[in-house]
Amino acid sequence: DTAVSQTPKYLVTQMGNDKSIKCEQNLGHDTMYWYKQDSKKFLKIMFSYNNKELIINETVPNRFSPKSPDKAHLNLHINSLELGDSAVYFCASSQANGADTQYFGPGTRLTVL
Amino acid sequence: AQSVTQPDIHITVSEGASLELRCNYSYGATPYLFWYVQSPGQGLQLLLKYFSGDTLVQGIKGFEAEFKRSQSSFNLRKPSVHWSDAAEYFCAVGIGGGNKLVFGAGTILRVKS
């Protein structure tokens, strides 16, 4: 069983479009995260939710909006996509708000043309 | 500001040889330290972590790492590398109570037979 799953795995779209990436975890964890990995493989946290509440919101354009309908899901919606949004986006989850192990999903490769 | 430095972008070792990947961090408080591995096209998998206690930590796949506070380092080691260890390795420090991970730029490990 996949612990942290993301859909889609690949996403190719045009500039200006709006798209969403979905993330689900079946580990019963309380905290979920979104990370962006750029073309140089640099990983940076974007958001974190704990029990559906936003607890980390890094300096990310407000075109990016996370949504957590329940603590097992954390979706990422991106408006007005730009070329620079092309990256691999990883979802992760951990047991609690703290230094618990973060389990990562397989990633979604977003390509903006 | 918190940061993680992995000085080696690429490392090539022969199969069966020993391995050491370097990691230095900058963080004012007691750090939570992690090593993750990413195989091509995959998500990140935790190899090991240090929170407190014994400064030599054992991880999966025969890896170990040693925390040296005086050197602000957390180097990853393996006594005998296998071809399947070829991947990219990321060091990270957990800040803000640990749930926010700050990653290094990664080290790509190549294993030659």
Side-chain angles (χ1 to χ4, degrees), chain A residues 42-60:
Chain A
F42 185 63
L43 261 166
K44 187 167 185 208
I45 191 166
M46 301 172 69
F47 302 103
S48 175
Y49 270 72
N50 179 259
N51 277 321
K52 303 195 297 176
E53 283 193 36
L54 183 65
I55 54 171
I56 293 176
N57 186 356
E58 291 295 288
T59 307
V60 175

Side-chain angles (χ1 to χ4, degrees), chain B residues 23-76:
Chain B
C23 172
N24 292 94
Y25 67 90
S26 172
Y27 183 51
T30 300
Y32 300 118
L33 295 161
F34 305 80
W35 274 100
Y36 281 86
V37 60
Q38 183 180 26
S39 298
Q42 304 296 315
L44 282 80
Q45 181 183 23
L46 181 72
L47 286 175
L48 47 79
K49 60 186 178 184
Y50 170 78
F51 290 171
S52 64
D54 192 346
T55 56
L56 183 64
V57 293
Q58 302 297 321
I60 62 171
K61 304 185 181 186
F63 285 93
E64 66 177 28
E66 187 171 12
F67 170 56
K68 293 186 178 179
R69 184 184 298 275
S70 61
Q71 298 176 18
S72 297
S73 69
F74 188 56
N75 294 347
L76 182 71

Side-chain angles (χ1 to χ4, degrees), chain B residues 93-106:
Chain B
V93 60
I95 63 174
N99 63 296
K100 177 180 173 182
L101 293 182
V102 176
F103 283 89

Side-chain angles (χ1 to χ4, degrees), chain A residues 20-34:
Chain A
S20 291
I21 306 171
K22 295 185 176 181
C23 178
E24 176 181 4
Q25 54 95 3
N26 63 7
L27 298 168
H29 288 166
D30 292 327
T31 307
M32 296 184 73
Y33 312 79
W34 276 110

